[in-house]
Amino acid sequence: MPTQEGTRITAALESTWAAFQKHHPNLPDVVMITGTGTQRRNKKRLSWGHHTADRWLNAAAGGRRAELFISGEAIAKGGQMVVETALHEAAHALAAARGIRDTSCAGRWHNRKFAALAEEVGLEPPKRAEKVIGFSEALITAATVSRYASVIRKLDAAALARIEAPDEDGDQEQDEDGKKEGPRGGKGRAGKRLAVACECDPPRRMQVTPKLLEGGAILCGECREPFQPEESELEDDDEAVA
């Protein structure tokens, strides 16, 4: 007899999003999907979730909807992790709905606007921006756990099918919505210079050594945001680690 595990998982995630919308009525509807968060190109990189605006065509309504992905690995961590991950994506959803640019560098650098939206939905962003990911690692607060206690209990009680995450040995990397970035190693860095850009429109660009960039944030005098490696530089670095 079919168990319809996929239907149960999707229904539980959609119920979680509906609970968010009760507290934040301007959160848009999304198409909820799940699956593995392990990246094909780099098996060490794990995404807990992601939000992609306007990805799905809503044939019935004649418009488009965003995609919201929660990984099976996040589900394996339990209801609180699912809620924390989904709230992170809710902050991105609010940014998209309001026309706010909350990330740069292929979505990896989360700026102060994201930090403010994270606080709005019930997360606590770091006090200072972290290297590569900025204010991404926003954690769920005790007050938010209390607010969504019934949602968390229902997710835990549902005993949803899940995907076990790789062993966390300190080398695991995660993408921009997975919060943490593991060590990148130091191969092939001698004499290398990185192209970096700020948040200005158009962005101001320059080249720096990795050592200079790792020594602390380099702030732009105009937009007051840190210079970050451009997308092509990040992709090259990923290939070196894989």
Side-chain angles (χ1 to χ4, degrees):
M1 180 178 179
T3 59
Q4 296 184 320
E5 287 288 356
T7 301
R8 292 177 61 246
I9 294 170
T10 303
L13 296 176
E14 289 177 340
S15 178
T16 300
W17 191 256
F20 295 172
Q21 289 178 309
K22 289 181 180 179
H23 292 280
H24 305 281
N26 54 347
L27 264 181
D29 292 335
V30 297
V31 175
M32 188 72 70
I33 65 171
T34 188
T36 181
T38 301
Q39 305 296 303
R40 286 182 295 177
R41 283 202 323 161
N42 187 346
K43 299 300 183 182
K44 289 186 177 181
R45 175 163 296 151
L46 173 64
S47 170
W48 297 122
H50 71 240
H51 169 273
T52 307
D54 297 332
R55 171 163 283 182
W56 290 78
L57 177 64
N58 185 348
R64 303 192 74 88
R65 286 189 181 180
E67 173 180 288
L68 196 138
F69 169 83
I70 303 295
S71 72
E73 290 87 351
I75 293 171
K77 295 286 187 180
Q80 184 168 315
M81 180 62 172
V82 170
V83 169
E84 181 180 272
T85 301
L87 285 172
H88 181 110
E89 305 314 327
H92 288 307
L94 286 177
R98 297 172 184 174
I100 296 172
R101 186 186 181 194
D102 63 337
T103 65
S104 58
C105 295
R108 301 186 84 178
W109 177 262
H110 290 54
N111 61 31
R112 293 184 184 278
K113 294 176 182 178
F114 170 82
L117 292 167
E119 287 185 321
E120 182 177 336
V121 298
L123 301 177
E124 184 176 353
K127 300 300 182 184
R128 298 178 62 183
E130 299 177 25
K131 295 177 182 176
V132 181
I133 58 175
F135 296 92
S136 175
E137 196 170 357
L139 304 178
I140 194 168
T141 67
T144 305
V145 170
S146 178
R147 173 185 294 175
Y148 296 114
S150 63
V151 175
I152 293 171
R153 286 196 300 269
K154 288 178 181 178
L155 287 166
D156 287 333
L160 301 175
R162 70 229 20 230
I163 298 173
E164 292 184 355
D167 292 337
E168 296 181 5
D169 57 4
D171 290 330
Q172 178 174 294
E173 299 177 11
Q174 296 167 3
D175 77 359
E176 74 281 4
D177 292 337
K179 306 183 179 72
K180 294 185 178 178
E181 291 281 336
R184 286 189 166 271
K187 298 180 180 179
R189 294 159 63 90
K192 181 178 180 181
R193 300 185 72 82
L194 301 176
V196 296
C198 69
E199 295 278 329
C200 290
D201 188 14
R204 304 169 74 192
R205 294 180 171 87
M206 63 180 179
Q207 292 192 342
V208 298
T209 64
K211 184 176 181 180
L212 180 62
L213 193 62
E214 291 168 2
I218 304 172
L219 297 181
C220 170
E222 295 294 329
C223 66
R224 307 304 301 170
E225 293 288 348
F227 282 88
Q228 290 294 317
E230 297 194 275
E231 181 177 354
S232 60
E233 296 287 349
L234 294 172
E235 289 176 351
D236 290 344
D237 203 15
D238 290 344
E239 293 294 342
V241 174

